[in-house]
Amino acid sequence: MEAWWRNSIGYIIYPAAYKDANGDGIGDLKGIIEKLDYLHELGIDLLWICPIFASPMKDNGYDVSDYLHVNPLFGSDEDLLTLLREAHLRGIRVLLDFAMNHTSDQHEWFVKAKEDPSSEERSYYIIKKGRRDEKGNLLPPNNWGSFFSTSAWERMPGSEDEFYLHVFAPSMPDTDWSNPKLRERYYQIARHYVDLGVDGFRMDAISHLAKNPTFEDSPLQGGKGGYVLDPSEFSNRPELLGYLKEFREKGVNENTLLVGEVGGCVQPAQARLFSERGRGPINLVFNFDTVWNNGAYGSIDKKDEEIKTDVISLKNNFMRWYENAATCDLPLYWCNHDHPRVLSQYGSVNYRAESAKMLVTTLLFLYGTPFIYQGDEIGMSNVTYDKVEDFLNDEANVDALKSMRSEGRDEETILRFWRRTNRINARTPMQWDKTSYAGFSKVAPKVKVNDNYKEGVNVQEQMEDPYSILNYFQYAISFRKNAIYNDIVNNGRLEIVDYNHPDVFAYLHRGSSTIMVISNFRPYQTYFTFNYEIGDIVLHNYDGVLLKDHVFTLRPFECYLLKIR
Ligand code: GLC
Ligand code: CA
């Protein structure tokens, strides 16, 4: 099998916020089609498009009500065919986002399951009888808590004593992967899209497909109302590997790229079983170990000054996966649609161009297939909304707001926390030009545009500026794709230089020749001892070079890609 993704540059599209072609304020497939030339020119040849299937959009499309049709908000089934055709004409492959851990409660399967207790569809979900307390009150079957609310169980409508399991929102019932009939339904859907020409899937939340089959109480204590979120009850369970193998065999081809979201619960050694080259059922495993290395996660009580990138931990996390992945392909990414903007996480809006260029350089020449998140190529950053209501386009935030207010948090604290951490930050409209709504739409978009599009953070102005972030990305990507560099990155040996340097992320990649990246992660000047001989400066985000007596003086967020002699 030819691992074509090892030579690909991926790009993540969040369709609702990419480009609105029909003027209703929501991005759509026609909008993506309009931008294929742009993506091609940028050097992108692999798209991961966040969910586009029919959905009531309680969780922005991750709650699917019909897998076989495109959400009318995004266009028609015909538009998807056009998108595939036009992408392929430009040498761009397409991954669809496939959420199989759960459906929407509006999916036909769940509707039938509710209506007819003897239906086959009822066996597609995890439905259990509740328990009774001493007074005879009905309680959920066990103490499992969900990611989105308190109990992971919700009363099964129409039933006297049964509950269904939902590890995410109550409107997203989990499917029962221990049922071969359910699995077969998913393989049919996968085959349908493979036959249409889809090149692969990003498999949503797959770590949760298998649950602890005993359904006994979690031994963990505490939690609201006695319910505890204990992901070990429904994450990376032993049955999962078999399910993934079967999906590969029965649902897709050998050449189909399968990218699995396994979240933060998985260890590299375990992930290796999933994605070992030639043996594992899937190809790339996304974990989130490198995403939050700045103390921002759960940082509601922290001041902005307390948020600082832990560069050593970042190096450790990349290397931990690399060392364990000699026989695996890896994805390379900073963030996705579930996280704040990387520029605000690890870079700085005060050094927008410098830090955006530094971040992409650092990422591109590590080991793996890069995935750029939409808008990073123009240095998009977190929102500066001035009221919490602006964040409520995401249902997850509605509940979170209630609970933070009930804990007595004031609006200012919530606002500061969300501007720093919320996933809305990644879901604001893509900034195409400096006309109204950043050229994303002709009407006011559902999620407010970030005002900085007026200050040069937009595609059109950056295209015209030879020193822009966008032109730097394009140039850097062209090097990453160059056959010699690609070979060094995929088949060379990666090593960190000066591991304990608290401010600088530097590494060597040794292959047919040796390249080196040196990146200052600070908004201030740092020094870096350099005991090599420069063959060439390939990429650099500043003018001039400050190197004296084997010491580089690095300006704020300065970075180099060097060829070493
Ligand atoms: C994944 C998606 C996220 C979604 C969740 C539930 O983590 O990336 O956006 O909310 O699954 O489907
Ligand atoms: Ca639209």
Side-chain angles (χ1 to χ4, degrees):
M1 181 176 50
E2 184 228 5
W4 52 265
W5 48 89
R6 279 160 68 86
N7 309 319
S8 302
I9 305 287
Y11 186 92
I12 307 173
I13 291 188
Y14 187 74
Y18 202 55
K19 170 73 194 173
D20 173 25
N22 70 346
D24 62 358
I26 302 167
D28 42 48
L29 297 188
K30 284 213 169 78
I32 300 175
I33 297 167
E34 270 177 33
K35 297 301 177 187
L36 288 171
D37 281 334
Y38 162 76
L39 291 164
H40 177 65
E41 217 173 302
L42 182 58
I44 302 303
D45 46 23
L46 171 62
L47 297 180
W48 149 13
I49 304 178
C50 289
I52 56 166
F53 303 144
S55 161
M57 301 296 270
K58 288 267 165 60
D59 187 25
N60 299 288
Y62 285 96
D63 49 328
V64 178
S65 55
D66 183 354
Y67 292 100
L68 294 175
H69 295 290
V70 169
N71 188 337
L73 278 181
F74 296 141
S76 64
D77 296 349
E78 191 58 38
D79 292 341
L80 175 59
L81 296 182
T82 312
L83 170 61
L84 292 171
R85 194 176 57 239
E86 292 295 321
H88 290 160
L89 275 175
R90 291 164 178 81
I92 299 175
R93 290 180 163 103
V94 178
L95 303 185
L96 295 186
D97 208 321
F98 197 4
M100 299 179 276
N101 174 69
H102 42 264
T103 68
S104 157
D105 59 359
Q106 295 177 37
H107 193 289
E108 192 192 16
W109 299 342
F110 196 71
V111 174
K112 284 196 182 148
K114 274 192 306 195
E115 281 168 3
D116 179 3
S118 64
S119 61
E120 177 175 312
E121 283 77 5
R122 199 159 173 113
S123 71
Y124 294 174
Y125 296 92
I126 300 169
I127 297 168
K128 304 266 174 219
K129 275 201 191 326
R131 296 190 288 197
R132 301 266 171 198
D133 66 11
E134 308 89 61
K135 292 186 196 131
N137 296 321
L138 190 62
L139 301 175
N142 64 28
N143 70 348
W144 296 2
S146 79
F147 287 114
F148 277 34
S149 59
T150 49
S151 171
W153 298 92
E154 191 77 9
R155 287 290 294 274
M156 185 66 191
S159 164
E160 272 186 11
D161 56 358
E162 286 171 314
F163 290 75
Y164 65 88
L165 182 75
H166 61 88
V167 305
F168 292 97
S171 60
M172 291 147 74
D174 279 51
T175 49
D176 185 359
W177 274 70
S178 71
N179 179 353
K181 288 193 179 144
L182 177 272
R183 300 203 297 271
E184 183 52 39
R185 297 301 289 259
Y186 277 120
Y187 308 149
Q188 278 169 10
I189 297 163
R191 285 199 299 268
H192 166 77
Y193 284 106
V194 170
D195 290 345
L196 291 186
V198 164
D199 301 285
F201 298 101
R202 180 267 187 179
M203 303 163 84
D204 180 63
I206 48 162
S207 37
H208 312 309
L209 296 185
K211 328 288 188 219
N212 184 347
T214 66
F215 290 97
E216 280 167 9
D217 276 347
S218 156
L220 297 186
Q221 299 295 313
K224 268 189 205 152
Y227 302 107
V228 279
L229 173 59
D230 177 1
S232 72
E233 297 288 0
F234 42 75
S235 304
N236 303 305
R237 312 270 327 166
E239 299 81 2
L240 177 58
L241 185 61
Y243 297 158
L244 297 176
K245 282 191 174 154
E246 207 183 63
F247 185 85
R248 166 69 70 185
E249 277 162 28
K250 299 189 175 171
V252 300
N253 301 328
E254 241 187 291
N255 230 3
T256 313
L257 172 58
L258 295 180
V259 177
E261 183 201 24
V262 297
C265 308
V266 78
Q267 293 303 312
Q270 198 182 8
R272 201 163 57 195
L273 297 176
F274 299 150
S275 62
E276 205 152 24
R277 219 172 288 136
R279 296 212 316 188
I282 65 175
N283 309 106
L284 302 174
V285 163
F286 268 71
N287 70 85
F288 299 112
D289 290 0
T290 53
V291 173
W292 291 100
N293 293 236
N294 63 347
Y297 195 82
S299 63
I300 188 154
D301 293 317
K302 288 187 188 164
K303 299 196 187 80
D304 286 342
E305 305 81 76
E306 291 173 77
I307 305 299
K308 188 174 180 189
T309 308
D310 183 340
V311 183
I312 296 176
S313 140
L314 198 57
K315 292 184 251 194
N316 267 324
N317 279 324
F318 274 111
M319 290 314 279
R320 193 164 83 90
W321 280 86
Y322 172 73
E323 299 296 354
N324 255 285
T327 54
C328 296
D329 299 333
L330 290 179
L332 271 174
Y333 50 92
W334 285 123
C335 296
N336 68 9
H337 66 291
D338 286 330
H339 307 106
R341 286 275 171 191
V342 64
L343 191 118
S344 305
Q345 283 280 88
Y346 299 150
S348 164
V349 291
N350 299 326
Y351 293 95
R352 190 182 300 275
E354 293 83 354
S355 61
K357 293 173 185 176
M358 181 282 281
L359 287 165
V360 72
T361 310
T362 309
L363 191 72
L364 280 180
F365 299 90
L366 290 164
Y367 172 73
T369 301
F371 283 83
I372 289 162
Y373 186 70
Q374 70 179 43
D376 285 352
E377 74 272 29
I378 51 171
M380 283 178 67
S381 49
N382 284 356
V383 296
T384 51
Y385 295 160
D386 48 21
K387 39 183 205 308
V388 293
E389 284 71 23
D390 289 339
F391 288 84
L392 297 185
N393 194 269
D394 185 346
E395 276 290 294
N397 292 344
V398 178
D399 289 343
L401 182 61
K402 267 189 224 144
S403 95
M404 285 191 285
R405 278 181 176 159
S406 74
E407 285 159 11
R409 302 286 185 185
D410 59 68
E411 303 291 291
E412 219 171 300
T413 306
I414 299 173
L415 199 57
R416 179 184 68 185
F417 179 54
W418 272 357
R419 283 174 169 186
R420 180 191 292 155
T421 57
N422 205 276
R423 61 185 190 177
I424 285 276
N425 286 301
R427 299 177 177 194
T428 63
M430 176 71 185
Q431 296 164 197
W432 294 105
D433 58 40
K434 60 178 177 191
T435 63
S436 51
Y437 312 123
F440 162 76
S441 176
K442 292 199 170 54
V443 302
K446 298 274 180 292
V447 177
K448 265 212 231 164
V449 180
N450 194 319
D451 273 339
N452 62 27
Y453 76 92
K454 295 172 195 149
E455 292 140 34
V457 188
N458 69 68
V459 170
Q460 189 226 331
E461 282 180 277
Q462 291 199 20
M463 272 186 171
E464 287 154 19
D465 171 7
Y467 296 100
S468 68
I469 300 169
L470 182 61
N471 277 309
Y472 186 95
F473 262 67
Q474 191 176 330
Y475 190 61
I477 288 171
S478 74
F479 274 101
R480 173 63 183 74
K481 287 175 84 170
N482 168 291
I484 296 171
Y485 285 82
N486 192 51
D487 179 58
I488 298 173
V489 163
N490 277 316
N491 305 313
R493 173 80 208 152
L494 175 66
E495 64 192 69
I496 299 283
V497 181
D498 201 351
Y499 223 118
N500 292 321
H501 198 303
D503 307 314
V504 174
F505 192 143
Y507 59 86
L508 283 169
H509 226 138
R510 298 179 194 274
S512 56
S513 53
T514 300
I515 57 174
M516 183 171 187
V517 168
I518 304 171
S519 293
N520 177 12
F521 267 71
R522 300 294 177 217
Y524 44 80
Q525 189 166 302
T526 54
Y527 301 94
F528 183 76
T529 306
F530 179 78
N531 290 314
Y532 304 87
E533 217 183 310
I534 298 178
D536 210 349
I537 298 180
V538 186
L539 294 168
H540 186 199
N541 61 350
Y542 272 84
D543 279 338
V545 175
L546 292 167
L547 175 63
K548 208 177 161 202
D549 299 331
H550 295 283
V551 176
F552 268 113
T553 300
L554 298 171
R555 289 159 281 184
F557 299 105
E558 186 164 3
C559 78
Y560 289 92
L561 171 65
L562 304 173
K563 246 183 150 163
I564 298 297
R565 237 200 273 273

